[in-house]
Amino acid sequence: MIIEELRVINFRNYKDIHLKFHPRLNIFVGNNAQGKTNLLEAIYLCAVGRSFRTNRDNEMINIEKQQAYVRVKLKKKYGDVDIEIRLSSGHGKDAKVNNICLTKIGELLGNLNVVLFSPEDLKLIKGGPGERRKFMDREISQIFTRYYYILGQYNKILRHRNRLLKDSRKRNLDLEVWNEQLAMTGAWIIFYRRNFIKRINLLARLMHRKVTGSAETLEIIYDSDVEVEDNDRIDQIKGNMLKKLENSINTDKKRGLTTTGPHRDDIILMINGLNAKNYGSQGQQRTVVLSLKLAEIELIKGEVGEYPVLLLDDVMSELDSERQNYLISNLKNVQTFITTAITEHIKEMGWKDKVIFNISKGQIG
Ligand SMILES: Nc1ncnc2c1ncn2[C@@H]1O[C@H](COP(=O)(O)OP(=O)(O)OP(=O)(O)O)[C@@H](O)[C@H]1O
Ligand SMILES: [Mg+2]
């Protein structure tokens, strides 16, 4: 898929801009704090319905305004798609796809697929399990919209169960119905996540071997206390989760929260048999993220039938030239947006097929 145009009004430090993009490579160049990442954020918003930098939508509205508007025109294999988002201060957001209002922001998913790679992604390795769950949830939701809804249901049931556990410390409590519902939705989450990790593992391992010249083997493992023999059997996953919930009931009551289930799961990333989080060098950790991102691109291509759009925020400068070249040569069919503050990098990249946008104080030169 290709983003042909972007319109942005009162979004962050932009007043009103209209950009036409190159189908291959678009580079946003400028000093710090000029608005390069803001443009990636606007594109990301149209893909996922939220920012990758903040949970507060209001921050994206220009501080002097009450409303912001972002629109992208997409060219896809089976036709053109027009996505519009309006953010209103204190009134949430509205989205339209091909001029039809969406009733829920979740309906946006699956129209524009993006893969974002930013320095923040190192959290995926260095951060806590929550970061890695967020990664899985975001990526699976983009491909399977059903997952997004199941996850929403699961979290709702979980919150309810936790509230009951907190209130119930004094009296007797029957959790049977809640366990059943939590195990049902939880089983689907585990099912989707295990499948996702299985596939991303194969792809990322291949990418990682190529990027490191076969020096390193990457392995990605889904780490859950709900074990399953056959991940295609939802009834089996559900049964095992139900058992776990029943076994941990006393601990749960004591602690006033649910101590087992996919909301506690994690991913383990291993390089040559060692956990990258504890043993990986800075460069190795970055390379793992690169391999993961390249794998994600291929996974989306396989599932959706066309390549996603790639957003690279400030990452070129962090990769050595060998890795930069690998990235470039691997992405011939992927429309890519790059931000950089260093003009020399563009020359070094040596890509011919590109358009450069010079960005200064929310103006495009
Ligand atoms: N809601 C807003 N209203 C107005 N200006 C904003 C708003 N949010 C952010 N900005 C401005 O946008 C600028 C930052 O933009 P952005 O993050 O895109 O910079 P950048 O060009 O990517 O910089 P760097 O190279 O440092 O990453 C800052 O100057 C900030 O003050
Ligand atoms: Mg930036």
Side-chain angles (χ1 to χ4, degrees), residues 309-343:
V309 168
L310 178 65
L311 310 176
L312 300 176
D313 193 16
D314 262 337
V315 287
M316 281 319 231
S317 53
E318 298 201 8
L319 298 171
D320 61 29
S321 56
E322 215 167 291
R323 268 150 229 213
Q324 281 187 17
N325 285 336
Y326 183 80
L327 186 63
I328 294 159
S329 56
N330 241 276
L331 299 174
K332 293 215 166 66
N333 301 312
V334 182
Q335 188 188 28
T336 304
F337 294 83
I338 292 180
T339 71
T340 180
I342 309 163
T343 331

PDB file of all heavy atoms in Angstrom, residues 309-343:
ATOM      1  N   VAL A 309       3.259   0.199   5.177  1.00  0.00           N
ATOM      2  CA  VAL A 309       4.108   1.376   5.033  1.00  0.00           C
ATOM      3  C   VAL A 309       5.086   1.361   6.210  1.00  0.00           C
ATOM      4  O   VAL A 309       4.699   1.040   7.331  1.00  0.00           O
ATOM      5  CB  VAL A 309       3.223   2.649   5.066  1.00  0.00           C
ATOM      6  CG1 VAL A 309       4.048   3.899   5.222  1.00  0.00           C
ATOM      7  CG2 VAL A 309       2.359   2.703   3.799  1.00  0.00           C
ATOM      8  N   LEU A 310       6.341   1.702   5.934  1.00  0.00           N
ATOM      9  CA  LEU A 310       7.348   1.670   6.995  1.00  0.00           C
ATOM     10  C   LEU A 310       7.690   3.082   7.455  1.00  0.00           C
ATOM     11  O   LEU A 310       7.967   3.966   6.635  1.00  0.00           O
ATOM     12  CB  LEU A 310       8.600   0.964   6.479  1.00  0.00           C
ATOM     13  CG  LEU A 310       9.786   0.885   7.450  1.00  0.00           C
ATOM     14  CD1 LEU A 310       9.448   0.036   8.672  1.00  0.00           C
ATOM     15  CD2 LEU A 310      11.014   0.309   6.742  1.00  0.00           C
ATOM     16  N   LEU A 311       7.649   3.289   8.770  1.00  0.00           N
ATOM     17  CA  LEU A 311       7.991   4.589   9.350  1.00  0.00           C
ATOM     18  C   LEU A 311       9.264   4.429  10.177  1.00  0.00           C
ATOM     19  O   LEU A 311       9.287   3.683  11.152  1.00  0.00           O
ATOM     20  CB  LEU A 311       6.857   5.087  10.256  1.00  0.00           C
ATOM     21  CG  LEU A 311       5.429   5.070   9.682  1.00  0.00           C
ATOM     22  CD1 LEU A 311       4.419   5.500  10.742  1.00  0.00           C
ATOM     23  CD2 LEU A 311       5.319   5.975   8.457  1.00  0.00           C
ATOM     24  N   LEU A 312      10.323   5.104   9.761  1.00  0.00           N
ATOM     25  CA  LEU A 312      11.605   5.002  10.482  1.00  0.00           C
ATOM     26  C   LEU A 312      11.908   6.337  11.143  1.00  0.00           C
ATOM     27  O   LEU A 312      12.232   7.305  10.460  1.00  0.00           O
ATOM     28  CB  LEU A 312      12.737   4.651   9.516  1.00  0.00           C
ATOM     29  CG  LEU A 312      12.636   3.337   8.739  1.00  0.00           C
ATOM     30  CD1 LEU A 312      13.802   3.211   7.755  1.00  0.00           C
ATOM     31  CD2 LEU A 312      12.640   2.143   9.685  1.00  0.00           C
ATOM     32  N   ASP A 313      11.750   6.387  12.457  1.00  0.00           N
ATOM     33  CA  ASP A 313      11.968   7.652  13.156  1.00  0.00           C
ATOM     34  C   ASP A 313      13.359   7.674  13.772  1.00  0.00           C
ATOM     35  O   ASP A 313      13.596   7.025  14.790  1.00  0.00           O
ATOM     36  CB  ASP A 313      10.889   7.833  14.237  1.00  0.00           C
ATOM     37  CG  ASP A 313      10.880   9.253  14.775  1.00  0.00           C
ATOM     38  OD1 ASP A 313      11.463  10.146  14.123  1.00  0.00           O
ATOM     39  OD2 ASP A 313      10.290   9.469  15.853  1.00  0.00           O
ATOM     40  N   ASP A 314      14.263   8.429  13.123  1.00  0.00           N
ATOM     41  CA  ASP A 314      15.595   8.646  13.722  1.00  0.00           C
ATOM     42  C   ASP A 314      16.417   7.394  13.939  1.00  0.00           C
ATOM     43  O   ASP A 314      17.273   7.379  14.814  1.00  0.00           O
ATOM     44  CB  ASP A 314      15.419   9.275  15.129  1.00  0.00           C
ATOM     45  CG  ASP A 314      15.596  10.771  15.074  1.00  0.00           C
ATOM     46  OD1 ASP A 314      16.251  11.243  14.138  1.00  0.00           O
ATOM     47  OD2 ASP A 314      15.077  11.452  15.977  1.00  0.00           O
ATOM     48  N   VAL A 315      16.185   6.348  13.175  1.00  0.00           N
ATOM     49  CA  VAL A 315      16.914   5.121  13.481  1.00  0.00           C
ATOM     50  C   VAL A 315      18.127   4.894  12.582  1.00  0.00           C
ATOM     51  O   VAL A 315      19.022   4.140  12.933  1.00  0.00           O
ATOM     52  CB  VAL A 315      16.037   3.847  13.436  1.00  0.00           C
ATOM     53  CG1 VAL A 315      15.123   3.800  14.620  1.00  0.00           C
ATOM     54  CG2 VAL A 315      15.270   3.751  12.155  1.00  0.00           C
ATOM     55  N   MET A 316      18.153   5.563  11.429  1.00  0.00           N
ATOM     56  CA  MET A 316      19.262   5.317  10.512  1.00  0.00           C
ATOM     57  C   MET A 316      20.599   5.621  11.184  1.00  0.00           C
ATOM     58  O   MET A 316      21.556   4.870  11.040  1.00  0.00           O
ATOM     59  CB  MET A 316      19.117   6.162   9.246  1.00  0.00           C
ATOM     60  CG  MET A 316      18.126   5.595   8.272  1.00  0.00           C
ATOM     61  SD  MET A 316      18.253   3.809   8.125  1.00  0.00           S
ATOM     62  CE  MET A 316      18.374   3.601   6.390  1.00  0.00           C
ATOM     63  N   SER A 317      20.631   6.716  11.937  1.00  0.00           N
ATOM     64  CA  SER A 317      21.897   7.124  12.549  1.00  0.00           C
ATOM     65  C   SER A 317      22.379   6.112  13.593  1.00  0.00           C
ATOM     66  O   SER A 317      23.544   6.099  13.961  1.00  0.00           O
ATOM     67  CB  SER A 317      21.736   8.493  13.190  1.00  0.00           C
ATOM     68  OG  SER A 317      20.636   8.462  14.064  1.00  0.00           O
ATOM     69  N   GLU A 318      21.453   5.276  14.061  1.00  0.00           N
ATOM     70  CA  GLU A 318      21.833   4.323  15.102  1.00  0.00           C
ATOM     71  C   GLU A 318      22.335   2.993  14.551  1.00  0.00           C
ATOM     72  O   GLU A 318      22.798   2.145  15.302  1.00  0.00           O
ATOM     73  CB  GLU A 318      20.645   4.070  16.021  1.00  0.00           C
ATOM     74  CG  GLU A 318      20.204   5.324  16.730  1.00  0.00           C
ATOM     75  CD  GLU A 318      19.403   5.015  17.970  1.00  0.00           C
ATOM     76  OE1 GLU A 318      19.325   3.844  18.348  1.00  0.00           O
ATOM     77  OE2 GLU A 318      18.868   5.962  18.548  1.00  0.00           O
ATOM     78  N   LEU A 319      22.193   2.814  13.228  1.00  0.00           N
ATOM     79  CA  LEU A 319      22.631   1.541  12.653  1.00  0.00           C
ATOM     80  C   LEU A 319      23.953   1.746  11.919  1.00  0.00           C
ATOM     81  O   LEU A 319      24.163   2.795  11.307  1.00  0.00           O
ATOM     82  CB  LEU A 319      21.579   1.031  11.661  1.00  0.00           C
ATOM     83  CG  LEU A 319      20.190   0.729  12.216  1.00  0.00           C
ATOM     84  CD1 LEU A 319      19.214   0.452  11.090  1.00  0.00           C
ATOM     85  CD2 LEU A 319      20.224  -0.453  13.175  1.00  0.00           C
ATOM     86  N   ASP A 320      24.835   0.754  11.950  1.00  0.00           N
ATOM     87  CA  ASP A 320      26.075   0.898  11.193  1.00  0.00           C
ATOM     88  C   ASP A 320      25.753   0.757   9.699  1.00  0.00           C
ATOM     89  O   ASP A 320      24.672   0.318   9.319  1.00  0.00           O
ATOM     90  CB  ASP A 320      27.144  -0.085  11.677  1.00  0.00           C
ATOM     91  CG  ASP A 320      26.724  -1.531  11.528  1.00  0.00           C
ATOM     92  OD1 ASP A 320      25.934  -1.835  10.620  1.00  0.00           O
ATOM     93  OD2 ASP A 320      27.181  -2.373  12.330  1.00  0.00           O
ATOM     94  N   SER A 321      26.725   1.130   8.834  1.00  0.00           N
ATOM     95  CA  SER A 321      26.414   1.238   7.407  1.00  0.00           C
ATOM     96  C   SER A 321      26.003  -0.113   6.817  1.00  0.00           C
ATOM     97  O   SER A 321      25.161  -0.183   5.929  1.00  0.00           O
ATOM     98  CB  SER A 321      27.592   1.831   6.640  1.00  0.00           C
ATOM     99  OG  SER A 321      28.719   1.053   6.880  1.00  0.00           O
ATOM    100  N   GLU A 322      26.584  -1.187   7.345  1.00  0.00           N
ATOM    101  CA  GLU A 322      26.219  -2.515   6.855  1.00  0.00           C
ATOM    102  C   GLU A 322      24.733  -2.790   7.095  1.00  0.00           C
ATOM    103  O   GLU A 322      24.016  -3.275   6.226  1.00  0.00           O
ATOM    104  CB  GLU A 322      27.047  -3.541   7.620  1.00  0.00           C
ATOM    105  CG  GLU A 322      27.455  -4.730   6.789  1.00  0.00           C
ATOM    106  CD  GLU A 322      28.525  -5.508   7.527  1.00  0.00           C
ATOM    107  OE1 GLU A 322      29.656  -4.993   7.658  1.00  0.00           O
ATOM    108  OE2 GLU A 322      28.202  -6.594   8.002  1.00  0.00           O
ATOM    109  N   ARG A 323      24.297  -2.457   8.289  1.00  0.00           N
ATOM    110  CA  ARG A 323      22.895  -2.693   8.649  1.00  0.00           C
ATOM    111  C   ARG A 323      21.950  -1.754   7.908  1.00  0.00           C
ATOM    112  O   ARG A 323      20.858  -2.140   7.500  1.00  0.00           O
ATOM    113  CB  ARG A 323      22.708  -2.570  10.161  1.00  0.00           C
ATOM    114  CG  ARG A 323      22.877  -3.926  10.805  1.00  0.00           C
ATOM    115  CD  ARG A 323      23.398  -3.922  12.177  1.00  0.00           C
ATOM    116  NE  ARG A 323      24.506  -4.899  12.203  1.00  0.00           N
ATOM    117  CZ  ARG A 323      24.835  -5.636  13.228  1.00  0.00           C
ATOM    118  NH1 ARG A 323      24.187  -5.522  14.344  1.00  0.00           N
ATOM    119  NH2 ARG A 323      25.817  -6.491  13.150  1.00  0.00           N
ATOM    120  N   GLN A 324      22.408  -0.510   7.722  1.00  0.00           N
ATOM    121  CA  GLN A 324      21.611   0.442   6.931  1.00  0.00           C
ATOM    122  C   GLN A 324      21.399  -0.101   5.525  1.00  0.00           C
ATOM    123  O   GLN A 324      20.292  -0.097   5.004  1.00  0.00           O
ATOM    124  CB  GLN A 324      22.349   1.780   6.820  1.00  0.00           C
ATOM    125  CG  GLN A 324      22.241   2.639   8.044  1.00  0.00           C
ATOM    126  CD  GLN A 324      22.860   4.023   7.796  1.00  0.00           C
ATOM    127  OE1 GLN A 324      23.075   4.440   6.674  1.00  0.00           O
ATOM    128  NE2 GLN A 324      23.126   4.726   8.862  1.00  0.00           N
ATOM    129  N   ASN A 325      22.503  -0.586   4.928  1.00  0.00           N
ATOM    130  CA  ASN A 325      22.420  -1.107   3.563  1.00  0.00           C
ATOM    131  C   ASN A 325      21.496  -2.314   3.483  1.00  0.00           C
ATOM    132  O   ASN A 325      20.733  -2.464   2.534  1.00  0.00           O
ATOM    133  CB  ASN A 325      23.808  -1.515   3.048  1.00  0.00           C
ATOM    134  CG  ASN A 325      24.609  -0.288   2.707  1.00  0.00           C
ATOM    135  OD1 ASN A 325      24.038   0.767   2.427  1.00  0.00           O
ATOM    136  ND2 ASN A 325      25.923  -0.401   2.759  1.00  0.00           N
ATOM    137  N   TYR A 326      21.588  -3.151   4.493  1.00  0.00           N
ATOM    138  CA  TYR A 326      20.735  -4.332   4.503  1.00  0.00           C
ATOM    139  C   TYR A 326      19.262  -3.917   4.522  1.00  0.00           C
ATOM    140  O   TYR A 326      18.436  -4.433   3.779  1.00  0.00           O
ATOM    141  CB  TYR A 326      21.034  -5.212   5.719  1.00  0.00           C
ATOM    142  CG  TYR A 326      20.218  -6.461   5.689  1.00  0.00           C
ATOM    143  CD1 TYR A 326      20.594  -7.526   4.896  1.00  0.00           C
ATOM    144  CD2 TYR A 326      19.024  -6.543   6.395  1.00  0.00           C
ATOM    145  CE1 TYR A 326      19.814  -8.661   4.816  1.00  0.00           C
ATOM    146  CE2 TYR A 326      18.235  -7.670   6.321  1.00  0.00           C
ATOM    147  CZ  TYR A 326      18.643  -8.733   5.533  1.00  0.00           C
ATOM    148  OH  TYR A 326      17.861  -9.842   5.445  1.00  0.00           O
ATOM    149  N   LEU A 327      18.989  -2.927   5.375  1.00  0.00           N
ATOM    150  CA  LEU A 327      17.618  -2.429   5.502  1.00  0.00           C
ATOM    151  C   LEU A 327      17.131  -1.891   4.154  1.00  0.00           C
ATOM    152  O   LEU A 327      16.059  -2.243   3.679  1.00  0.00           O
ATOM    153  CB  LEU A 327      17.603  -1.305   6.560  1.00  0.00           C
ATOM    154  CG  LEU A 327      16.274  -0.724   6.972  1.00  0.00           C
ATOM    155  CD1 LEU A 327      15.410  -1.782   7.626  1.00  0.00           C
ATOM    156  CD2 LEU A 327      16.466   0.412   7.973  1.00  0.00           C
ATOM    157  N   ILE A 328      17.968  -1.077   3.540  1.00  0.00           N
ATOM    158  CA  ILE A 328      17.594  -0.450   2.284  1.00  0.00           C
ATOM    159  C   ILE A 328      17.359  -1.480   1.183  1.00  0.00           C
ATOM    160  O   ILE A 328      16.344  -1.453   0.495  1.00  0.00           O
ATOM    161  CB  ILE A 328      18.696   0.550   1.848  1.00  0.00           C
ATOM    162  CG1 ILE A 328      18.763   1.702   2.852  1.00  0.00           C
ATOM    163  CG2 ILE A 328      18.416   1.085   0.447  1.00  0.00           C
ATOM    164  CD1 ILE A 328      20.070   2.445   2.848  1.00  0.00           C
ATOM    165  N   SER A 329      18.286  -2.432   1.082  1.00  0.00           N
ATOM    166  CA  SER A 329      18.155  -3.382  -0.030  1.00  0.00           C
ATOM    167  C   SER A 329      16.992  -4.344   0.191  1.00  0.00           C
ATOM    168  O   SER A 329      16.485  -4.942  -0.738  1.00  0.00           O
ATOM    169  CB  SER A 329      19.463  -4.152  -0.225  1.00  0.00           C
ATOM    170  OG  SER A 329      19.789  -4.778   0.983  1.00  0.00           O
ATOM    171  N   ASN A 330      16.555  -4.465   1.441  1.00  0.00           N
ATOM    172  CA  ASN A 330      15.451  -5.367   1.731  1.00  0.00           C
ATOM    173  C   ASN A 330      14.082  -4.744   1.503  1.00  0.00           C
ATOM    174  O   ASN A 330      13.081  -5.422   1.556  1.00  0.00           O
ATOM    175  CB  ASN A 330      15.537  -5.799   3.189  1.00  0.00           C
ATOM    176  CG  ASN A 330      15.699  -7.278   3.295  1.00  0.00           C
ATOM    177  OD1 ASN A 330      14.735  -8.015   3.266  1.00  0.00           O
ATOM    178  ND2 ASN A 330      16.941  -7.706   3.354  1.00  0.00           N
ATOM    179  N   LEU A 331      14.070  -3.450   1.318  1.00  0.00           N
ATOM    180  CA  LEU A 331      12.778  -2.765   1.353  1.00  0.00           C
ATOM    181  C   LEU A 331      12.387  -2.146   0.019  1.00  0.00           C
ATOM    182  O   LEU A 331      11.731  -1.118  -0.021  1.00  0.00           O
ATOM    183  CB  LEU A 331      12.818  -1.684   2.432  1.00  0.00           C
ATOM    184  CG  LEU A 331      13.057  -2.222   3.839  1.00  0.00           C
ATOM    185  CD1 LEU A 331      13.235  -1.089   4.820  1.00  0.00           C
ATOM    186  CD2 LEU A 331      11.908  -3.117   4.262  1.00  0.00           C
ATOM    187  N   LYS A 332      12.792  -2.802  -1.041  1.00  0.00           N
ATOM    188  CA  LYS A 332      12.548  -2.220  -2.372  1.00  0.00           C
ATOM    189  C   LYS A 332      11.059  -2.034  -2.678  1.00  0.00           C
ATOM    190  O   LYS A 332      10.692  -1.164  -3.438  1.00  0.00           O
ATOM    191  CB  LYS A 332      13.195  -3.099  -3.438  1.00  0.00           C
ATOM    192  CG  LYS A 332      14.711  -3.072  -3.349  1.00  0.00           C
ATOM    193  CD  LYS A 332      15.356  -3.163  -4.714  1.00  0.00           C
ATOM    194  CE  LYS A 332      16.813  -2.802  -4.646  1.00  0.00           C
ATOM    195  NZ  LYS A 332      17.633  -3.765  -3.872  1.00  0.00           N
ATOM    196  N   ASN A 333      10.222  -2.869  -2.098  1.00  0.00           N
ATOM    197  CA  ASN A 333       8.793  -2.791  -2.422  1.00  0.00           C
ATOM    198  C   ASN A 333       7.965  -2.133  -1.331  1.00  0.00           C
ATOM    199  O   ASN A 333       6.756  -2.218  -1.331  1.00  0.00           O
ATOM    200  CB  ASN A 333       8.248  -4.195  -2.661  1.00  0.00           C
ATOM    201  CG  ASN A 333       8.987  -4.871  -3.781  1.00  0.00           C
ATOM    202  OD1 ASN A 333       9.176  -4.269  -4.839  1.00  0.00           O
ATOM    203  ND2 ASN A 333       9.433  -6.090  -3.553  1.00  0.00           N
ATOM    204  N   VAL A 334       8.653  -1.513  -0.384  1.00  0.00           N
ATOM    205  CA  VAL A 334       7.935  -0.960   0.762  1.00  0.00           C
ATOM    206  C   VAL A 334       8.051   0.564   0.756  1.00  0.00           C
ATOM    207  O   VAL A 334       9.161   1.102   0.770  1.00  0.00           O
ATOM    208  CB  VAL A 334       8.526  -1.515   2.079  1.00  0.00           C
ATOM    209  CG1 VAL A 334       7.759  -0.999   3.275  1.00  0.00           C
ATOM    210  CG2 VAL A 334       8.540  -3.037   2.061  1.00  0.00           C
ATOM    211  N   GLN A 335       6.909   1.250   0.753  1.00  0.00           N
ATOM    212  CA  GLN A 335       6.989   2.714   0.851  1.00  0.00           C
ATOM    213  C   GLN A 335       7.514   3.072   2.242  1.00  0.00           C
ATOM    214  O   GLN A 335       7.004   2.603   3.254  1.00  0.00           O
ATOM    215  CB  GLN A 335       5.617   3.363   0.639  1.00  0.00           C
ATOM    216  CG  GLN A 335       5.735   4.883   0.540  1.00  0.00           C
ATOM    217  CD  GLN A 335       4.386   5.588   0.521  1.00  0.00           C
ATOM    218  OE1 GLN A 335       3.388   5.095   1.070  1.00  0.00           O
ATOM    219  NE2 GLN A 335       4.342   6.747  -0.120  1.00  0.00           N
ATOM    220  N   THR A 336       8.545   3.900   2.259  1.00  0.00           N
ATOM    221  CA  THR A 336       9.243   4.168   3.514  1.00  0.00           C
ATOM    222  C   THR A 336       9.317   5.664   3.806  1.00  0.00           C
ATOM    223  O   THR A 336       9.544   6.472   2.893  1.00  0.00           O
ATOM    224  CB  THR A 336      10.670   3.572   3.444  1.00  0.00           C
ATOM    225  OG1 THR A 336      10.572   2.183   3.141  1.00  0.00           O
ATOM    226  CG2 THR A 336      11.416   3.734   4.756  1.00  0.00           C
ATOM    227  N   PHE A 337       9.098   6.012   5.067  1.00  0.00           N
ATOM    228  CA  PHE A 337       9.218   7.395   5.524  1.00  0.00           C
ATOM    229  C   PHE A 337      10.336   7.441   6.555  1.00  0.00           C
ATOM    230  O   PHE A 337      10.310   6.688   7.532  1.00  0.00           O
ATOM    231  CB  PHE A 337       7.914   7.877   6.153  1.00  0.00           C
ATOM    232  CG  PHE A 337       6.787   7.975   5.160  1.00  0.00           C
ATOM    233  CD1 PHE A 337       6.042   6.848   4.821  1.00  0.00           C
ATOM    234  CD2 PHE A 337       6.487   9.182   4.543  1.00  0.00           C
ATOM    235  CE1 PHE A 337       5.022   6.922   3.887  1.00  0.00           C
ATOM    236  CE2 PHE A 337       5.464   9.268   3.609  1.00  0.00           C
ATOM    237  CZ  PHE A 337       4.726   8.134   3.276  1.00  0.00           C
ATOM    238  N   ILE A 338      11.304   8.313   6.304  1.00  0.00           N
ATOM    239  CA  ILE A 338      12.457   8.389   7.203  1.00  0.00           C
ATOM    240  C   ILE A 338      12.570   9.797   7.771  1.00  0.00           C
ATOM    241  O   ILE A 338      12.414  10.765   7.025  1.00  0.00           O
ATOM    242  CB  ILE A 338      13.753   8.063   6.423  1.00  0.00           C
ATOM    243  CG1 ILE A 338      13.759   6.593   6.001  1.00  0.00           C
ATOM    244  CG2 ILE A 338      14.989   8.397   7.235  1.00  0.00           C
ATOM    245  CD1 ILE A 338      14.994   6.198   5.223  1.00  0.00           C
ATOM    246  N   THR A 339      12.824   9.910   9.067  1.00  0.00           N
ATOM    247  CA  THR A 339      13.154  11.233   9.603  1.00  0.00           C
ATOM    248  C   THR A 339      14.626  11.226   9.987  1.00  0.00           C
ATOM    249  O   THR A 339      15.140  10.224  10.484  1.00  0.00           O
ATOM    250  CB  THR A 339      12.347  11.583  10.872  1.00  0.00           C
ATOM    251  OG1 THR A 339      12.837  10.767  11.945  1.00  0.00           O
ATOM    252  CG2 THR A 339      10.874  11.363  10.696  1.00  0.00           C
ATOM    253  N   THR A 340      15.277  12.339   9.729  1.00  0.00           N
ATOM    254  CA  THR A 340      16.663  12.467  10.168  1.00  0.00           C
ATOM    255  C   THR A 340      17.034  13.946  10.326  1.00  0.00           C
ATOM    256  O   THR A 340      16.512  14.798   9.610  1.00  0.00           O
ATOM    257  CB  THR A 340      17.650  11.764   9.206  1.00  0.00           C
ATOM    258  OG1 THR A 340      18.973  11.936   9.709  1.00  0.00           O
ATOM    259  CG2 THR A 340      17.580  12.304   7.797  1.00  0.00           C
ATOM    260  N   ALA A 341      17.904  14.200  11.302  1.00  0.00           N
ATOM    261  CA  ALA A 341      18.349  15.574  11.507  1.00  0.00           C
ATOM    262  C   ALA A 341      19.693  15.788  10.808  1.00  0.00           C
ATOM    263  O   ALA A 341      20.212  16.895  10.768  1.00  0.00           O
ATOM    264  CB  ALA A 341      18.475  15.854  12.997  1.00  0.00           C
ATOM    265  N   ILE A 342      20.224  14.705  10.250  1.00  0.00           N
ATOM    266  CA  ILE A 342      21.580  14.801   9.695  1.00  0.00           C
ATOM    267  C   ILE A 342      21.556  14.636   8.179  1.00  0.00           C
ATOM    268  O   ILE A 342      21.297  13.542   7.664  1.00  0.00           O
ATOM    269  CB  ILE A 342      22.494  13.729  10.338  1.00  0.00           C
ATOM    270  CG1 ILE A 342      22.372  13.830  11.868  1.00  0.00           C
ATOM    271  CG2 ILE A 342      23.933  13.893   9.906  1.00  0.00           C
ATOM    272  CD1 ILE A 342      22.855  12.628  12.610  1.00  0.00           C
ATOM    273  N   THR A 343      21.830  15.722   7.468  1.00  0.00           N
ATOM    274  CA  THR A 343      21.744  15.713   6.006  1.00  0.00           C
ATOM    275  C   THR A 343      22.724  14.722   5.393  1.00  0.00           C
ATOM    276  O   THR A 343      22.412  14.094   4.386  1.00  0.00           O
ATOM    277  CB  THR A 343      22.041  17.122   5.447  1.00  0.00           C
ATOM    278  OG1 THR A 343      21.637  18.063   6.419  1.00  0.00           O
ATOM    279  CG2 THR A 343      21.309  17.377   4.163  1.00  0.00           C
TER     280      THR A 343
END
